[in-house]
Every structure is written in C-alpha cells, then in structure tokens.
Amino acid sequence: MRTPLCDTLGIEHPVLGFTPSEHVAAAISRAGGLGVLGCVRFNDAADLDRALTWMDENTDGRPYGVDIVMPATVPTEGTSFDLDELIPQGHRDFVRRTLQKLGVPPLPADEESGAGVLGWLHSVARSHVDVALEHPVRLVANALGSPPDDVVERVHEHGIPVAALAGRSEHASRHVDNGVDIVVAQGYEAGGHTGEVASMVLVPEIVDAVGDRVPVLAAGGIGSGRQMAAALALGASGVWMGSYWLTTAEYALTGQGSATQRALLAAGSSDTVRTRIYTGKPARLLKTRWTQAWAEADAPAPLPMPLQNLLVSEAHQRIARSDDPEVVSMPVGQVVGRMNEVRPVAEVMATLLREADEAVDRLGKLR
C-alpha cells in the first residue's frame, strides 16, 4: 500500500510511528515505515546525539525522523533551578502524601532525583533541532504545532520537511500558512497531548481545510489495518501511530520496565483519562491509582507547563522504580484496548498492512 507521501519521505508504507524509543523507531523504519523518535526525554543534547548515531547504524539505511516539543512563540524561561522555586509547597506536599498513600518507595540512596524532563523548555528543544540536523533525518515534527519561523526556515534549508500536530482545522490552516509541509490531524482518542475533536470528525475537516496544499496524516485511535484503511478513506495520506508501539518487544529494550507493559496489556479502551497532571497541558494517560489521586477533591490544580512536569519528575522516577502496574504514569490513547500482546515491530507492521489490504478489498466488493 503506497501513497504519494511514501515518495516524499522515501518509505515503503504510509505509516509513521512516533515513539520515545530509538529501538522501536529503528525497527519501524526497517519495516518500511518512518520511525519518528521523540526527543523530549533527552535533557542533554549529547544523549540525543548518541541515540541518533545508534539509529544511523541500525536502520539499514532507511529514513527516520524526529519529534520535538516547541511552541511557535518563544517563552520566557529560566533554569530548572529557577523554575523549581515557582512550585508551591502545597503541591509538593500533595505529591509526597500521594506517593506514601500509594506505597511508592523512595529512590535508593545512591540514585539522585533527576531534573525532570527539560525537553519541554524552548531552549532545550532548540538544541534537539541542532543535533537532529547533524544527522540524516527525513522529517522534523513538532508536537506543539508550528515551530518558530526561524526553525522552519532552518529545517527547510536542509531540504527536510516539517510536520506539525493539529487538533482543530483552524490550527492546521495556520500551520500551513507558517510553512509546515505535513499536518498530523490528531483526534481526541490519541495518547499524549490531544484536543477535543474525535478523529472521525477531525480528519476530514482538516483534509478539506488544507489537503489541497499539504499531505494530512491521521492520528488517534489507529491500531489495526481496518482503522488505517478508514483513515485513508477519510482523505488522509497516511497514518501517524504512537500508542500502539508501546507493547512491542523492542520497546522493552529501552529499559522502560515491565510494569508499564503489564498495565497496558491489561487495559481496555475506557481505561484512559485526559488530564493536565503529566505536563500541564491536556494529555491522555493510562488511568491508574496515580491519575485517580489527582482527581480527588483534595488534589491541587495542575501547574502550567513546564512546572507540572518538574513537580512530578521525581514521582515519575519513583513510580517507574516501584514496578507496580497499578500506579504507572504513561501517556496512551484509547486504542490501548487493542494492545493485548507483546509482538515485534515487524510483526505489528505486517499485520497492519495485511489487514488494510483486506479492508480495501472487502470495500471494493461492495460496488
């Protein structure tokens, strides 16, 4: 199955896979899609450089992309220490009490608390762009919409297209006006940062708004070939999938821990919640005892980005260390209900393409 987007990106199949794991991203590319590595977890640009160097050596020459987190306007920001001082003590006390109530042990004495995910900071995201442009990336995507004009121009100077996520048709139009080359129409069902319009409504709206100017990818609720075929029927040029790769065999190689995959495998499609507790912006997470604690009457309102992530950074470390599937903190979409077994990326891709072909053939017989 091919669309013109395949020729644009040099891929075999119109499947773009977003993932925080370089192992998964490389496997997606080797399977004929475009693996897109999420950069936000890399506080140090040198660590991102090492990950991309590894991908250069493990994609068999296939193309791959990166995803950054950068608002169009440059915000005022300080160091992580400066920002830490802006976090109210009441919020800190709530996190401490909640972790104690959930039975999450403290970090080992020899393990320091991290500084949080600084990839949400504009300056760190710019360093991600600097590093990416030193590697043969074929796409730079931005999770927060259009990057600043100078970033778009710089990426274009390297002959690389820019993609941006959109949750409303007017956002998509603005992205294209700002020089974005590919729009990802991400529906309400999606994991991570997401808007309020469902994919079945959003995708054709965005295709109608900008599809005559740029390719549109469908995102949110895609975990089978039937859903991929539906996205193409709605006018999309391909699909952008994120959650579905979290239960692949390669994801475990990143050291994310078995508790996360156990929790995902046991979840149904109604076991997610859209909340601001992860980053300060609305994001869909797996529903666990941790997310439920933030919904209680005594819970404080989440802080704005990037303060909320700094607030919960040590909590996320401790939760990951606890290896308890009932308290994991993990962005995932409603498609989690279809994520019922751990399989290699190549097998997931093959199944996706086979099911898409079967769906198209079945529809053809209706004429």
Side-chain angles (χ1 to χ4, degrees):
M1 181 171 290
R2 293 181 63 85
T3 68
L5 181 69
C6 296
D7 296 326
T8 300
L9 298 175
I11 55 180
E12 296 178 40
H13 316 299
V15 177
L16 282 74
F18 165 79
T19 172
S21 164
E22 61 269 30
H23 297 278
V24 175
I28 292 169
S29 291
R30 291 196 303 269
L34 188 80
V36 181
L37 180 65
C39 297
V40 72
R41 71 180 177 90
F42 295 97
N43 288 354
D44 190 331
D47 291 336
L48 174 60
D49 184 54
R50 281 189 286 272
L52 295 183
T53 298
W54 183 91
M55 288 188 64
D56 295 339
E57 299 168 350
N58 289 275
T59 50
D60 296 341
R62 303 292 184 95
Y64 68 86
V66 296
D67 179 272
I68 59 173
V69 179
M70 181 182 290
T73 55
V74 181
T76 300
E77 62 179 53
T79 65
S80 59
F81 179 79
D82 295 332
L83 294 169
D84 201 55
E85 294 182 336
L86 300 178
I87 298 175
Q89 185 60 44
H91 283 67
R92 298 182 190 279
D93 292 341
F94 172 78
V95 171
R96 176 183 51 78
R97 292 194 307 269
T98 299
L99 292 174
Q100 185 176 30
K101 182 170 65 175
L102 296 178
V104 178
L107 294 174
D110 60 349
E111 182 174 334
E112 294 184 5
S113 172
V117 178
L118 301 182
W120 308 113
L121 298 179
H122 194 89
S123 57
V124 177
R126 280 185 175 271
S127 75
H128 293 160
V129 175
D130 293 339
V131 169
L133 294 180
E134 295 175 358
H135 293 266
V137 299
R138 291 293 294 270
L139 180 73
V140 173
N142 186 24
L144 295 184
S146 309
D149 291 344
D150 68 297
V151 173
V152 174
E153 292 173 5
R154 187 170 171 219
V155 174
H156 283 168
E157 288 173 357
H158 284 74
I160 301 169
V162 175
L165 275 66
R168 296 170 63 177
S169 60
E170 52 265 43
H171 296 167
S173 296
R174 185 163 63 245
H175 295 342
V176 177
D177 291 342
N178 290 340
V180 166
D181 307 286
I182 299 171
V183 171
V184 181
Q186 178 153 293
Y188 176 79
E189 311 96 314
H193 295 127
T194 186
E196 299 179 344
V197 183
S199 297
M200 184 66 82
V201 175
L202 181 68
V203 173
E205 280 189 355
I206 289 184
V207 169
D208 290 346
V210 302
D212 60 338
R213 293 194 283 167
V214 299
V216 175
L217 300 176
I222 300 172
S224 72
R226 285 176 292 165
Q227 289 159 325
M228 178 179 173
L232 297 176
L234 293 174
S237 297
V239 294
W240 173 282
M241 299 170 61
S243 298
Y244 211 60
W245 313 107
L246 295 173
T247 51
T248 58
E250 289 86 351
Y251 184 74
L253 297 175
T254 312
Q256 298 294 326
S258 62
T260 296
Q261 287 195 331
R262 296 202 306 272
L264 295 172
L265 293 170
S269 57
S270 61
D271 294 327
T272 69
V273 60
R274 187 169 173 266
T275 174
R276 293 196 297 116
I277 69 170
Y278 196 75
T279 68
K281 288 184 177 291
R284 186 172 300 284
L285 309 180
L286 185 67
K287 188 185 298 181
T288 65
R289 294 174 63 204
W290 169 251
T291 62
Q292 290 169 347
W294 281 88
E296 298 293 335
D298 66 334
L303 300 171
M305 180 186 282
L307 298 182
Q308 180 66 20
N309 183 263
L310 293 173
L311 168 66
V312 298
S313 62
E314 182 179 336
H316 287 170
Q317 280 184 267
R318 291 172 58 181
I319 286 170
R321 269 279 192 175
S322 71
D323 200 38
D324 183 352
E326 294 188 359
V327 298
V328 298
S329 180
M330 188 68 197
V332 70
Q334 292 178 332
V335 75
V336 68
R338 299 189 61 86
M339 297 158 52
N340 301 317
E341 59 180 325
V342 175
R343 296 185 293 162
V345 165
E347 183 179 326
V348 171
M349 182 72 81
T351 301
L352 183 75
L353 297 171
R354 175 179 54 78
E355 291 176 347
D357 284 339
E358 292 172 351
V360 172
D361 289 344
R362 185 172 62 253
L363 291 174
K365 294 176 183 178
L366 299 179
R367 300 184 65 180

